């Protein structure tokens, strides 16, 4: 239990912030003490000990605020969370935080306006973090595999927050900027309808008030849920968020940071669904609008953008990879450019675990077809004619240290011809590749528009 002086301080901060309905102050009041970056084994549960905080609260304070209501159910879990975090009890921290989140969801539903949105964002973030840490702590304490039980429970809390913000009856304000409309008509400034609606609708810095719409908080919560769904490997649930958000244009009405994060996760979703053109658009947007000093975030985006661009025939420069310490792509890049299958395969094998964790391994495997294509193009340039014996191609594989027979060479070539990476046909009887006289290795089929 917390000392009396600390209880009074937390209570006074919450009382003053909510009485004034100050969004920033309320968000600060419900913030938790610093959480550890990594989980550790909980001493309270290692031997089946009792929880510090369970279904009932340790603290028994009361808080009624004029014009707002009874915030006792918010205050006590907040005090409990401070106490258990000080005691290094990560499981107890999640129990207290989940009670706080549930209480704030209820408070949000019963209050007018959107002045509680910043506090809700803080609580959503902390629920996510404490759930992940608690799951890791349980796994370390018991020695069992992490089943993400706390994180799955946290998803339901954030889904409730998402529903309360999305279904608010008050619509987001649309300010009519008459001077923009006049300029666009009178002086023929050419805006598309989507660009013009973005200029009018996107008001991320609008003051939060008792008249504002709770929908301004949707995109941040969606991004948190995206992150949790990826952690739980339940990507199918992401689709339940996309349609309501995009049909109402909410994905274009957040802060720049929220829209960058949204596009990052949409890019990953499209990548897993083999929608590489859409994925490239999403990642390009995220990288272009990412803050110039957010080097770590840019690197996270490039971890997925580089493989997508490589598959679509756009190879990054070595300077770019070195700038963001993406050295794992260098052997793949060199292998694709020169058709060196051995270097490409070794690079893929060497960093296999890393690519599998990111979910890009199979995508990079597909890049091997471009590597084959570039190898055969080099053989074509050496032979200098349209008819190439398959034994010449087999010798090029042997020179690279790969023992491949003619049947396998023929199979690879058939796939390349089918994908239109090579123009020509195979003569099975003569074991000859006959190339087209006009652009036998079309660049347009490798470098997608």
């Amino acid at each position: 239990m917390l000392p009396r002086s600390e209880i009074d301080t937390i209570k006074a901060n919450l009382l003053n912030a909510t009485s004034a309905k100050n969004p920033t102050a309320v968000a600060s009041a419900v913030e938790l003490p610093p959480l550890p970056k990594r989980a550790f084994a909980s001493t309270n549960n290692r031997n089946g000990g009792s929880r510090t905080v369970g279904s009932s609260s340790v603290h028994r304070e009361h808080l009624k605020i004029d014009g707002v209501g009874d915030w006792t159910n918010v205050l006590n879990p907040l005090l409990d969370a401070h106490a258990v975090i000080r005691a290094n009890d990560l499981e107890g921290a999640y129990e207290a935080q989940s009670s706080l989140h549930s209480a704030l969801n209820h408070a949000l539903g019963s209050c007018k306006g959107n002045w509680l949105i910043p506090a809700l964002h803080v609580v959503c973030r902390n629920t996510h973090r404490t759930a992940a840490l608690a799951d890791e702590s349980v796994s370390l304490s018991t020695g069992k595999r992490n089943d993400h039980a706390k994180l799955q429970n946290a998803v339901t809390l954030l889904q409730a927050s998402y529903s309360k913000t999305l279904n608010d009856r008050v619509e987001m304000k649309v300010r009519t900027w008459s001077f923009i409309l006049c300029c666009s008509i009178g002086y023929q400034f050419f805006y598309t309808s989507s660009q013009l609606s973005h200029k009018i609708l996107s008001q991320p810095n609008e003051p939060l008030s008792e008249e504002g719409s709770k929908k301004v908080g949707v995109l941040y919560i969606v991004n948190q849920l995206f992150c949790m769904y990826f952690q739980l490997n339940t990507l199918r649930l992401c689709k339940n968020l996309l349609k309501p958000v995009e049909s109402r244009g909410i994905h274009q009405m957040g802060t720049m940071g929220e829209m960058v994060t949204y596009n990052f996760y949409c890019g990953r979703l499209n990548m897993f669904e083999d929608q590489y053109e859409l994925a490239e658009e999403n990642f390009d947007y995220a990288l272009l609008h990412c803050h110039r000093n957010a080097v770590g975030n840019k690197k996270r985006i490039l971890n997925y953008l580089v493989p997508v661009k490589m598959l679509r025939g756009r190879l990054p420069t070595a300077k770019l990879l070195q700038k963001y310490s993406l050295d794992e792509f260098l052997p793949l890049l060199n292998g694709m450019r020169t058709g060196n299958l051995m270097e490409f395969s070794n690079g893929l094998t060497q960093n296999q675990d890393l690519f599998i964790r990111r979910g890009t391994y199979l995508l990079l495997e597909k890049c091997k077809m471009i590597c084959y294509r570039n190898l055969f193009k080099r053989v074509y340039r050496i032979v200098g004619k349209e008819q190439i014996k398959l034994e010449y191609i087999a010798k090029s594989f042997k020179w690279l240290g790969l023992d491949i027979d003619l049947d396998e060479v023929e199979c690879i070539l058939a796939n390349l011809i089918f994908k239109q990476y090579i123009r020509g046909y195979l003569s099975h009887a003569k074991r000859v590749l006959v190339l087209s006289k006009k652009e036998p290795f079309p660049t347009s089929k490798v470098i997608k528009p």
Side-chain angles (χ1 to χ4, degrees):
M1 198 164 181
L2 293 174
R4 185 73 248 174
S5 59
E6 192 169 344
I7 292 174
D8 291 340
T9 300
I10 295 172
K11 186 174 181 179
N13 289 340
L14 190 60
L15 174 62
N16 295 335
T18 50
S19 297
K21 296 182 179 177
N22 184 327
T24 306
V26 177
S28 178
V30 298
E31 182 63 273
L32 297 182
L35 292 166
K37 292 184 178 180
R38 292 184 179 180
F40 43 79
S42 174
T43 55
N44 291 334
N45 198 42
R46 187 174 294 167
N47 298 312
S50 61
R51 295 248 41 82
T52 305
V53 175
S55 58
S56 60
S57 176
V58 172
H59 295 85
R60 294 288 189 274
E61 300 297 318
H62 298 279
L63 182 62
K64 289 187 178 181
I65 306 166
D66 294 337
V68 177
D70 189 352
W71 272 50
T72 299
N73 291 336
V74 175
L75 174 62
N76 286 324
L78 179 61
L79 295 172
D80 293 342
H82 277 259
V84 292
I85 289 173
R86 176 177 293 182
N88 293 326
D89 182 4
L90 296 177
E91 294 176 71
Y94 173 71
E95 297 296 335
Q97 176 63 25
S98 62
S99 298
L100 171 61
H101 195 151
S102 181
L104 194 67
N105 277 343
H106 179 74
L108 180 74
S110 59
C111 79
K112 293 182 179 180
N114 56 11
W115 58 277
L116 278 179
I117 292 299
L120 182 67
H121 288 174
V122 168
V123 168
C124 286
R125 184 188 71 239
N126 287 336
T127 298
H128 181 188
R129 291 173 62 197
T130 53
L133 288 170
D135 281 330
E136 290 179 27
S137 178
V138 171
S139 179
L140 290 171
S141 300
T142 61
K144 297 179 180 178
R145 185 178 178 181
N146 191 345
D147 61 357
H148 300 292
K150 307 289 186 187
L151 195 61
Q152 291 177 24
N153 180 261
V155 164
T156 61
L157 292 169
L158 269 80
Q159 285 173 338
S161 301
Y162 167 73
S163 298
K164 287 183 182 296
T165 51
L166 182 70
N167 298 325
D168 187 28
R169 293 183 179 181
V170 179
E171 292 297 327
M172 294 181 75
K173 289 184 178 180
V174 179
R175 276 170 46 179
T176 310
W177 291 0
S178 57
F179 70 91
I180 290 182
L181 294 173
C182 290
C183 287
S184 63
I185 297 171
Y187 294 95
Q188 296 183 356
F189 289 164
F190 297 106
Y191 293 111
T192 65
S193 59
S194 62
Q195 288 173 327
L196 190 57
S197 66
H198 178 71
K199 288 178 179 291
I200 297 174
L201 295 177
S202 182
Q203 304 293 333
N205 297 317
E206 280 288 311
L208 302 169
S209 65
E210 292 185 78
E211 290 78 34
S213 172
K214 296 182 179 72
K215 288 185 173 68
V216 298
V218 170
L219 198 57
Y220 182 91
I221 300 170
V222 166
N223 290 335
Q224 288 289 330
L225 283 170
F226 274 157
C227 185
M228 296 167 86
Y229 290 155
F230 272 92
Q231 285 178 289
L232 294 170
N233 198 26
T234 53
L235 303 188
R236 67 186 185 282
L237 298 178
C238 294
K239 291 294 183 182
N240 299 337
L241 304 176
L242 289 175
K243 189 174 181 180
V245 168
E246 296 192 353
S247 64
R248 305 181 193 194
I250 295 174
H251 64 299
Q252 296 179 332
M253 290 189 261
T255 63
M256 185 54 68
E258 290 169 354
M259 291 190 287
V260 165
T261 305
Y262 180 83
N263 274 276
F264 171 71
Y265 283 113
C266 285
R268 290 183 65 183
L269 279 173
N270 287 323
M271 185 187 75
F272 289 133
E273 294 178 354
D274 296 339
Q275 302 289 332
Y276 299 119
E277 184 177 354
L278 292 175
E280 187 176 5
E281 289 178 10
N282 292 134
F283 290 135
D284 277 338
Y285 179 95
L287 186 64
L288 179 64
H289 295 89
C290 187
H291 195 279
R292 62 182 180 181
N293 294 330
V295 178
N297 288 341
K298 286 184 177 181
K299 184 175 179 180
R300 292 185 187 95
I301 296 167
L302 286 168
N303 284 335
Y304 298 95
L305 178 58
V306 168
V308 170
K309 281 191 174 292
M310 286 172 67
L311 182 64
R312 290 175 57 76
R314 295 177 176 86
L315 303 184
T317 62
K319 185 178 179 180
L320 174 71
L321 299 180
Q322 290 167 358
K323 179 181 178 180
Y324 291 100
S325 302
L326 298 171
D327 298 333
E328 63 270 20
F329 292 111
L330 283 173
L332 307 183
L333 174 65
N334 295 333
M336 288 181 67
R337 279 200 173 127
T338 61
N340 190 334
L341 279 164
M342 182 61 76
E343 186 176 6
F344 181 91
S345 299
N346 288 342
L348 198 60
T349 304
Q350 185 178 354
N351 299 289
Q352 180 176 349
D353 293 340
L354 176 62
F355 294 141
I356 289 174
R357 284 198 303 272
R358 291 177 185 168
T360 57
Y361 180 80
L362 295 178
L363 174 60
L364 290 167
E365 268 279 351
K366 295 179 182 179
C367 295
K368 187 177 285 188
M369 296 304 292
I370 299 176
C371 199
Y372 282 129
R373 178 257 190 197
N374 290 341
L375 172 63
F376 299 157
K377 186 175 181 181
R378 296 187 72 183
V379 173
Y380 162 70
R381 286 178 174 176
I382 294 170
V383 173
K385 56 184 180 181
E386 285 72 31
Q387 294 187 10
I388 304 173
K389 294 181 179 180
L390 298 190
E391 62 181 274
Y392 293 161
I393 297 175
K395 286 180 180 179
S396 69
F397 281 112
K398 189 174 182 180
W399 183 79
L400 289 171
L402 301 171
D403 190 13
I404 296 179
D405 59 27
L406 294 183
D407 288 336
E408 193 168 351
V409 169
E410 193 171 345
C411 181
I412 294 170
L413 284 168
N415 279 315
L416 289 170
I417 293 170
F418 174 76
K419 292 178 181 291
Q420 299 182 0
Y421 286 172
I422 294 177
R423 285 179 181 165
Y425 64 90
L426 284 165
S427 174
H428 177 71
K430 296 181 179 181
R431 297 282 188 168
V432 170
L433 169 65
V434 181
L435 294 171
S436 170
K437 292 184 178 180
K438 183 179 179 182
E439 201 177 5
F441 296 89
T443 303
S444 60
K445 295 300 179 180
V446 178
I447 302 177
K448 304 295 192 301

